[in-house]
Amino acid sequence: MSAERLARRAAFPYDISVRISLWLSVLVVAGLFGWGAWQRRWIADDGLIVLRTVRNLLAGNGPVFNAGERVEANTSTLWTYLVTFGAWIGGSVRLEYVVLAFALALSIAGVVLVMLGTGRLYAPSLQGRRALLLPAGALVYIAIPPARDFATSGLENGLVLAYLGLLWWMLVCWSQALRAYPAEGGAPQDAPDNVPGRFFEGALAFVAGLSVLVRPELALIGGGALVMMLIAARGWRRRVLILVAGGLLPVAYQIFRMGYYALIVPGTAVAKDATGSKWSQGLTYLANFNQPYLLWVPAVLLVLLGLVLVATRSRPWWLHRQVPRGYGWLRRTVQSPPAVVAFMVLSGLVQGIYWVRQGGDFMHGRVLLTPVFCVLAPVAVIPLVLPDGTRFSRETGYLLAAATSVLWVAIAGWSVWAANSPGMGADATRVTYTGIVDERRFYSQATGHAHPLTAADYLDYPRMRAVLTALENTPDGALLLPSGNYDQWDVVPAFPPPPDMTPEQRKAYKPPHTVFFTNMGMLGMNVGLDVRVIDQIGLTNPLAAHTERLTDGRIGHDKNLFPDWAVAEGPFLKTHPFVPAYLDEDWIAQAQVALTCPATDAVLNSVRGELTPRRFLSNIVHSYEFTKYRIDRVPLYELRRCGLEPPAPRNAPYTGMPATGP
């Protein structure tokens, strides 16, 4: 293709006011978003979970949370490896600062890309007109306080924004590639015959395919984009290119996941039963997100704004079917700006419905930010056509300018109010019946740091400093359980090492330390990689992950494995007085027997046994079965489920009758 055609495709000849206003809008919104996110900077406990995996990767233990146990504790595969790459490049730079820089930069990049994509969407219809492109949807998004909270949280939210912004921009370019570019007089020119190019189409397919590696549920968006491309493609070669570019990396990683982790989805999806249904809790989560900011207000304003723009404009030039020969009605309809706009809005709605059905999250607003971002993309910026003063028309008249201006001012006013909203108010840091909290404010209050950024900052969280003391005080190993006293841990001693160990053996001996606690991020980053960190909700504990979801449990924490199992499966003393009084010796003994259940043993061996080629292939074959497998968290019930005989009771059950004897 000639350089002239490439240049003509790359830019539209519109009034300089459009170009300047677009870039000013981008700079203002990016600056406000970056400044607002920095003022609320922090790294969440869940963000630190990723860094524990990164530490293990850099140490050569593989992409695991605990060495020797293949558990995928992070939902976003791409985020894990991106942070690992940044840590490798950064060398001695703290991991927390690496992830902070990545999260903030990608969040800003996402907003910039979505605005540029929307600016390109409107640019052709502004040919020869004096107009301004003003921030609208982008302004709404950055005004929502959770959007600024999660811009630096250490979670993958920034990566999601950057990914969606890039995909949106590329889809807009792809949708316009077949349309003719109007000349100065406004008449369409002939469309180029070879657009879009193979390289661009392959790149778009590759980006669409990355969706499942950014977050699994984004496969609905990336997969939908690939389907649109396949429908619009001309010839089998293009379709093969799209399939290979879009599917090669995700399929390769899926095979790796099935063989390495013995699951068909990330471990977090198993822990949270992501395919489950909790509509009532999801609607509560939606109301919790909407109520503090009255999100229905900008929704109504943006809908009215869209109606005004449609009603006061003549038929846009890009609806004219000036496309190359060989394109049928379906193809040219799919590869068009209206189809891309509808696809993005529908994708956002589907994402929102998915999260409401799943029950939402325990973090205020977090999982609904992505649906909001998708829905706002087509109106990230909006055109304000300036009256030309020479004629009154639907396209350049005062009605359009006045109505657009009034609605935009209302949106800007709401944005200023929402940006300064107190959010959840008094309930922000309390775990109420909804189970939802403002995570940033919660951890700021709990640690005493306005901006908890590093693992060291989280040492001021209850029990954190005490765990380091407890580990030092148990040189022969122990299981640490959280005590009711925030300054101490309950200790279950490990089996003592053999007394006949030689000095060399004693020096090489690694005491078995395990800590059983909910907050795995702060804990995992403040202890060594030789300390096994597990939880009762299953994010890092393969046994807990395979328990059934509790019907009325706190969302995101609705699995709860009893600590008796941790005692039973480890090399720890299992009787009183070595175990805390609140643990039952019979339950521990029953859990020991339950762990011998053949199906349970197979699941655990799939991630704990040596990874040989034979085991890798076996894991692939059984990954679906292992993903669906569930156990009962009550040891006695689990014995019955598995058909095992309960061990003899250690203590006679209380009958109310006095003990008798010879």
Side-chain angles (χ1 to χ4, degrees), residues 14 65 128 152 180 298 340-341 441 496 511 556 606:
Y14 47 82
F65 193 82
T152 63
V340 167
V341 169
R441 290 173 61 183
S606 70

PDB file of all heavy atoms in Angstrom, residues 14 65 128 152 180 298 340-341 441 496 511 556 606:
ATOM      1  N   TYR A  14      -9.955  17.471   9.488  1.00  0.00           N
ATOM      2  CA  TYR A  14     -11.026  18.237  10.097  1.00  0.00           C
ATOM      3  C   TYR A  14     -10.457  19.513  10.688  1.00  0.00           C
ATOM      4  O   TYR A  14      -9.247  19.717  10.777  1.00  0.00           O
ATOM      5  CB  TYR A  14     -11.761  17.422  11.157  1.00  0.00           C
ATOM      6  CG  TYR A  14     -10.891  16.683  12.134  1.00  0.00           C
ATOM      7  CD1 TYR A  14     -10.351  17.319  13.245  1.00  0.00           C
ATOM      8  CD2 TYR A  14     -10.623  15.339  11.939  1.00  0.00           C
ATOM      9  CE1 TYR A  14      -9.554  16.633  14.131  1.00  0.00           C
ATOM     10  CE2 TYR A  14      -9.820  14.642  12.827  1.00  0.00           C
ATOM     11  CZ  TYR A  14      -9.293  15.293  13.920  1.00  0.00           C
ATOM     12  OH  TYR A  14      -8.496  14.621  14.799  1.00  0.00           O
ATOM     13  N   PHE A  65       2.160 -19.495  44.801  1.00  0.00           N
ATOM     14  CA  PHE A  65       2.121 -18.693  46.014  1.00  0.00           C
ATOM     15  C   PHE A  65       2.988 -19.314  47.098  1.00  0.00           C
ATOM     16  O   PHE A  65       3.655 -18.607  47.852  1.00  0.00           O
ATOM     17  CB  PHE A  65       0.680 -18.554  46.512  1.00  0.00           C
ATOM     18  CG  PHE A  65       0.507 -17.497  47.570  1.00  0.00           C
ATOM     19  CD1 PHE A  65       0.366 -16.166  47.223  1.00  0.00           C
ATOM     20  CD2 PHE A  65       0.492 -17.836  48.910  1.00  0.00           C
ATOM     21  CE1 PHE A  65       0.213 -15.180  48.199  1.00  0.00           C
ATOM     22  CE2 PHE A  65       0.341 -16.870  49.889  1.00  0.00           C
ATOM     23  CZ  PHE A  65       0.200 -15.539  49.535  1.00  0.00           C
ATOM     24  N   GLY A 128     -15.128  19.781   7.882  1.00  0.00           N
ATOM     25  CA  GLY A 128     -15.460  21.129   7.451  1.00  0.00           C
ATOM     26  C   GLY A 128     -16.272  21.931   8.431  1.00  0.00           C
ATOM     27  O   GLY A 128     -16.842  22.969   8.065  1.00  0.00           O
ATOM     28  N   THR A 152      -4.392   2.708  41.659  1.00  0.00           N
ATOM     29  CA  THR A 152      -3.063   2.420  42.209  1.00  0.00           C
ATOM     30  C   THR A 152      -3.105   1.289  43.218  1.00  0.00           C
ATOM     31  O   THR A 152      -2.211   1.175  44.048  1.00  0.00           O
ATOM     32  CB  THR A 152      -2.495   3.665  42.906  1.00  0.00           C
ATOM     33  OG1 THR A 152      -3.337   4.026  44.015  1.00  0.00           O
ATOM     34  CG2 THR A 152      -2.384   4.840  41.971  1.00  0.00           C
ATOM     35  N   ALA A 180     -15.181   5.296   2.895  1.00  0.00           N
ATOM     36  CA  ALA A 180     -14.459   6.262   2.087  1.00  0.00           C
ATOM     37  C   ALA A 180     -14.207   7.522   2.877  1.00  0.00           C
ATOM     38  O   ALA A 180     -14.986   7.897   3.740  1.00  0.00           O
ATOM     39  CB  ALA A 180     -15.258   6.588   0.826  1.00  0.00           C
ATOM     40  N   PRO A 298     -25.701  10.861  35.864  1.00  0.00           N
ATOM     41  CA  PRO A 298     -24.949  10.971  34.610  1.00  0.00           C
ATOM     42  C   PRO A 298     -25.444  10.000  33.548  1.00  0.00           C
ATOM     43  O   PRO A 298     -25.325  10.292  32.348  1.00  0.00           O
ATOM     44  CB  PRO A 298     -23.508  10.654  35.036  1.00  0.00           C
ATOM     45  CG  PRO A 298     -23.640   9.863  36.289  1.00  0.00           C
ATOM     46  CD  PRO A 298     -24.841  10.440  36.987  1.00  0.00           C
ATOM     47  N   VAL A 340     -19.712  -1.327  16.160  1.00  0.00           N
ATOM     48  CA  VAL A 340     -18.675  -1.307  17.198  1.00  0.00           C
ATOM     49  C   VAL A 340     -19.188  -0.593  18.443  1.00  0.00           C
ATOM     50  O   VAL A 340     -18.932  -1.029  19.573  1.00  0.00           O
ATOM     51  CB  VAL A 340     -17.395  -0.645  16.656  1.00  0.00           C
ATOM     52  CG1 VAL A 340     -16.432  -0.333  17.791  1.00  0.00           C
ATOM     53  CG2 VAL A 340     -16.733  -1.547  15.626  1.00  0.00           C
ATOM     54  N   VAL A 341     -19.917   0.509  18.239  1.00  0.00           N
ATOM     55  CA  VAL A 341     -20.503   1.222  19.381  1.00  0.00           C
ATOM     56  C   VAL A 341     -21.487   0.319  20.123  1.00  0.00           C
ATOM     57  O   VAL A 341     -21.447   0.202  21.354  1.00  0.00           O
ATOM     58  CB  VAL A 341     -21.193   2.517  18.908  1.00  0.00           C
ATOM     59  CG1 VAL A 341     -22.028   3.122  20.037  1.00  0.00           C
ATOM     60  CG2 VAL A 341     -20.154   3.524  18.430  1.00  0.00           C
ATOM     61  N   ARG A 441      -9.965   2.934  52.545  1.00  0.00           N
ATOM     62  CA  ARG A 441     -10.161   3.577  53.840  1.00  0.00           C
ATOM     63  C   ARG A 441     -10.037   2.572  54.978  1.00  0.00           C
ATOM     64  O   ARG A 441      -9.516   2.896  56.053  1.00  0.00           O
ATOM     65  CB  ARG A 441     -11.524   4.265  53.872  1.00  0.00           C
ATOM     66  CG  ARG A 441     -11.600   5.502  52.971  1.00  0.00           C
ATOM     67  CD  ARG A 441     -13.009   6.065  52.899  1.00  0.00           C
ATOM     68  NE  ARG A 441     -13.500   6.500  54.203  1.00  0.00           N
ATOM     69  CZ  ARG A 441     -14.723   6.980  54.402  1.00  0.00           C
ATOM     70  NH1 ARG A 441     -15.573   7.057  53.374  1.00  0.00           N
ATOM     71  NH2 ARG A 441     -15.110   7.363  55.600  1.00  0.00           N
ATOM     72  N   PRO A 496       8.884 -32.653  66.506  1.00  0.00           N
ATOM     73  CA  PRO A 496      10.288 -32.268  66.708  1.00  0.00           C
ATOM     74  C   PRO A 496      11.200 -33.011  65.751  1.00  0.00           C
ATOM     75  O   PRO A 496      10.904 -34.152  65.354  1.00  0.00           O
ATOM     76  CB  PRO A 496      10.553 -32.666  68.165  1.00  0.00           C
ATOM     77  CG  PRO A 496       9.527 -33.700  68.484  1.00  0.00           C
ATOM     78  CD  PRO A 496       8.323 -33.347  67.679  1.00  0.00           C
ATOM     79  N   PRO A 511      12.729 -25.899  59.302  1.00  0.00           N
ATOM     80  CA  PRO A 511      11.542 -26.160  60.124  1.00  0.00           C
ATOM     81  C   PRO A 511      10.265 -25.883  59.335  1.00  0.00           C
ATOM     82  O   PRO A 511      10.189 -24.899  58.589  1.00  0.00           O
ATOM     83  CB  PRO A 511      11.697 -25.186  61.292  1.00  0.00           C
ATOM     84  CG  PRO A 511      12.578 -24.100  60.776  1.00  0.00           C
ATOM     85  CD  PRO A 511      13.518 -24.760  59.807  1.00  0.00           C
ATOM     86  N   GLY A 556     -17.073 -13.049  48.378  1.00  0.00           N
ATOM     87  CA  GLY A 556     -15.627 -13.087  48.215  1.00  0.00           C
ATOM     88  C   GLY A 556     -14.917 -13.831  49.329  1.00  0.00           C
ATOM     89  O   GLY A 556     -13.724 -14.118  49.224  1.00  0.00           O
ATOM     90  N   SER A 606      -2.097 -33.688  42.443  1.00  0.00           N
ATOM     91  CA  SER A 606      -1.952 -33.045  41.133  1.00  0.00           C
ATOM     92  C   SER A 606      -1.198 -31.725  41.233  1.00  0.00           C
ATOM     93  O   SER A 606      -0.594 -31.280  40.250  1.00  0.00           O
ATOM     94  CB  SER A 606      -3.328 -32.816  40.508  1.00  0.00           C
ATOM     95  OG  SER A 606      -4.050 -31.799  41.199  1.00  0.00           O
TER      96      SER A 606
END
